[in-house]
């Protein structure tokens, strides 16, 4: 009796994954894992840079998937798990090994606040897909929260601030702030309204040149300063009453 192999081939095809976008997600996951390993080896500057690299890779996988029409449920779940490691576990452990360890029980408790905040935020994001306003995020996005912690570590090593008085408490404050802000209802601009194909004034290109020059000259300071301003922007808008009339907003 002849059996048509087509159904088996179709089943195998459905079980496959898209290689290109998931390769970026896997690379982001590796960067987060590498940050943890470097923190355990006391190489905190390398750990901080690895977290920023994970941010870049995480921002690319979704765009690559959309450009190549290779979105999938597997990719979405894989991305969430990767984000949990790179922006939840890694920054918390880096901060703990760097400064919070010396604060004893309080140190690991605050590190867990960041880790738990990232997990709760990702869970909320997964339940709100398709029913939110893409112009806004609810709470601080997990990559930006990770950048607050990693950026502080980076600038302290890059500019020799490791012996700064009270640095342990500053690190404690940044770690707690990042974790708590991820699960608040404070609204943050998502940058989704920026369209690169639209015409812009010529002065915008000059401004971009200035930003790139500053970024190339002092990357730790510029990146850390940007994410600090972004983290405060939500509270500033909330204080000014902006965004009150928007529909429920997007988490990440």
């Amino acid at each position: 009796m002849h059996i048509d192999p087509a159904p088996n081939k179709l089943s195998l095809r459905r079980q496959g994954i898209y290689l290109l976008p998931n390769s970026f997600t896997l690379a982001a996951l590796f960067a987060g894992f590498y940050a943890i390993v470097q923190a355990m080896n006391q190489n905190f500057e390398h750990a901080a840079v690895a977290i920023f690299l994970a941010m870049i890779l995480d921002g690319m996988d979704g765009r690559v998937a959309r450009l190549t029409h290779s979105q999938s449920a597997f990719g979405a779940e894989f991305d969430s798990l990767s984000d949990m490691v790179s922006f939840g576990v890694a920054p918390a452990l880096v901060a703990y090994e760097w400064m919070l360890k010396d604060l004893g029980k309080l140190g690991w408790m605050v590190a867990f606040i960041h880790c738990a905040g990232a997990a709760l935020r990702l869970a909320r994001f997964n339940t709100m897909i398709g029913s939110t306003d893409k112009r806004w995020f609810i709470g601080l996005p997990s990559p930006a929260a990770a950048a607050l912690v990693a950026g502080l570590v980076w600038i302290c090593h890059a500019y020799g601030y490791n012996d700064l008085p009270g640095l342990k408490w500053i690190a404690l404050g940044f770690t707690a702030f990042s974790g708590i802000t991820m699960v608040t209802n404070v609204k943050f601009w998502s940058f989704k309204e920026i369209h690169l194909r639209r015409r812009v004034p010529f002065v915008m290109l000059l401004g971009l040149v200035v930003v790139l020059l500053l970024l190339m000259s002092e990357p730790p300071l510029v990146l850390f300063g940007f994410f600090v301003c972004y983290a405060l922007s939500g509270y500033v808008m909330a204080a000014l009453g902006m965004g009150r009339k928007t529909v429920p907003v997007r988490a990440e």
Side-chain angles (χ1 to χ4, degrees):
M1 180 178 178
H2 177 71
I3 299 177
D4 188 1
N8 292 332
K9 291 182 178 180
L10 181 60
S11 177
L12 291 173
R13 189 179 299 115
R14 287 176 177 175
Q15 293 176 8
I17 62 172
Y18 293 105
L19 181 61
L20 185 58
N22 287 301
S23 296
F24 283 95
T25 305
L26 184 62
L29 176 60
F30 174 77
F33 175 78
Y34 181 80
I36 295 172
V37 172
Q38 292 304 306
M40 294 171 63
N41 292 327
Q42 306 298 302
N43 296 322
F44 298 112
E45 187 170 4
H46 292 172
V49 173
I51 291 174
F52 277 97
L53 178 60
M55 292 175 55
I56 297 173
L57 294 168
D58 178 68
M60 294 177 65
D61 60 1
R63 288 169 175 79
V64 169
R66 288 188 291 272
L67 287 173
T68 58
H69 303 288
S70 54
Q71 302 100 317
S72 66
F74 174 88
E77 295 300 323
F78 187 29
D79 182 67
S80 293
L81 294 172
S82 174
D83 288 354
M84 182 59 210
V85 174
S86 299
F87 309 131
V89 178
L93 290 178
V94 170
Y96 177 76
E97 288 289 333
W98 177 50
M99 285 289 167
L100 302 186
K101 182 188 294 186
D102 295 336
L103 297 175
K105 184 183 295 186
L106 180 62
W108 65 257
M109 289 174 66
V110 170
F112 179 71
I113 288 175
H114 178 96
C115 186
L120 292 169
R121 178 173 182 77
L122 290 167
R124 181 169 63 178
F125 167 70
N126 290 338
T127 61
M128 296 178 65
I129 294 176
S131 61
T132 57
D133 187 344
K134 294 183 178 181
R135 296 174 298 172
W136 304 93
F137 293 127
I138 294 178
L140 188 64
S142 55
L148 288 179
V149 178
L152 179 64
V153 176
W154 194 4
I155 64 168
C156 286
H157 280 79
Y159 301 110
Y161 295 152
N162 279 315
D163 296 326
L164 190 69
L167 182 58
K168 296 175 184 178
W169 298 104
I170 295 174
L172 187 81
F174 268 87
T175 307
F177 174 81
S178 64
I180 294 171
T181 305
M182 278 191 283
V183 295
T184 61
N185 289 327
V186 177
K187 300 172 183 178
F188 293 85
W189 188 36
S190 69
F191 299 99
K192 298 294 183 180
E193 293 180 331
I194 297 178
H195 298 285
L196 298 179
R197 295 182 180 180
R198 290 182 178 177
R199 291 180 178 271
V200 295
F202 179 75
V203 70
M204 293 292 292
L205 184 60
L206 296 178
L208 180 60
V209 171
V210 173
V211 171
L212 290 175
L213 290 176
L214 291 174
L215 183 59
M216 293 300 295
S217 62
E218 300 290 344
L221 185 61
V222 173
L223 288 173
F224 181 63
F226 170 78
F227 284 106
V228 168
C229 292
Y230 181 68
L232 295 176
S233 67
Y235 291 98
V236 171
M237 289 191 296
L240 297 176
M242 297 176 62
R244 288 180 179 176
K245 297 183 179 180
T246 58
V247 296
V249 293
R250 182 178 182 177
E252 181 179 64

